[in-house]
Amino acid sequence: MSVSDPVADMLTKIRNAAQARHEKVDVDTSKLKLEIVKILKTEGYIKNFKKVQENGHSVIRIFLKYDEKNSPVIHGVEKISTPGRRVYSGYKDLPRIYNGYGTVIVSTSSGVTTGRKAKEKMVGGELVCTVW
């Protein structure tokens, strides 16, 4: 089956796996997905990830993170830009998610980064998703 928005599909898989308390989840590989997963790792939303070959194609294996009460660290993931409605923002207008407790992921001309780093670099771009 063809997926019209692969990034939204990846975020949905992560959200559903976290709610079901799975240890890991596999998603198909792309450059954008890999950059988003790297940001999730550096921001502390997932334990780890690795790129593996499975049945002849490459997948990203994401190891989910839970707190001491066994509740998921990722409380919510929301896609902002969609194929039918792209959302762009200048660096001055980048949204703050839950008063700074969440993270907005932005695709800029200098690569995929968090909203905080995009403001520091004074560069705007396409708002990909928010994580809290």
Side-chain angles (χ1 to χ4, degrees):
M1 186 173 115
S2 173
V3 179
S4 66
D5 192 356
V7 174
D9 186 50
M10 177 190 75
L11 296 174
T12 300
K13 284 182 179 183
I14 292 172
R15 183 186 321 110
N16 290 345
Q19 291 300 318
R21 308 288 196 276
H22 290 296
E23 178 187 345
K24 63 185 188 296
V25 62
D26 290 346
V27 296
D28 291 331
T29 305
S30 77
K31 289 179 185 177
L32 179 61
K33 289 180 189 178
L34 196 57
E35 291 300 316
I36 291 170
V37 171
K38 284 178 186 175
I39 290 172
L40 293 177
K41 167 78 170 115
T42 57
E43 294 291 314
Y45 290 108
I46 61 173
K47 263 194 231 175
N48 209 349
F49 69 94
K50 65 180 176 180
K51 203 171 167 183
V52 295
Q53 290 285 68
E54 195 167 278
N55 297 333
H57 69 281
S58 181
V59 295
I60 305 170
R61 183 159 291 150
I62 303 168
F63 297 94
L64 301 173
K65 189 174 182 180
Y66 300 94
D67 62 8
E68 59 277 348
K69 297 177 189 169
N70 200 27
S71 61
V73 173
I74 295 177
H75 296 289
V77 180
E78 191 174 280
K79 183 83 164 90
I80 299 175
S81 266
T82 62
R85 181 177 166 263
R86 299 290 184 193
V87 180
Y88 297 93
S89 175
Y91 75 94
K92 292 179 182 176
D93 302 322
L94 287 171
R96 286 185 57 178
I97 309 304
Y98 285 103
N99 206 20
Y101 286 107
T103 304
V104 62
I105 297 176
V106 184
S107 177
T108 68
S109 58
S110 59
V112 180
T113 185
T114 63
R116 192 175 310 114
K117 290 180 184 173
K119 276 187 182 180
E120 289 171 6
K121 293 179 184 177
M122 289 199 245
V123 62
E126 181 181 355
L127 304 178
V128 178
C129 64
T130 58
V131 185
W132 66 93

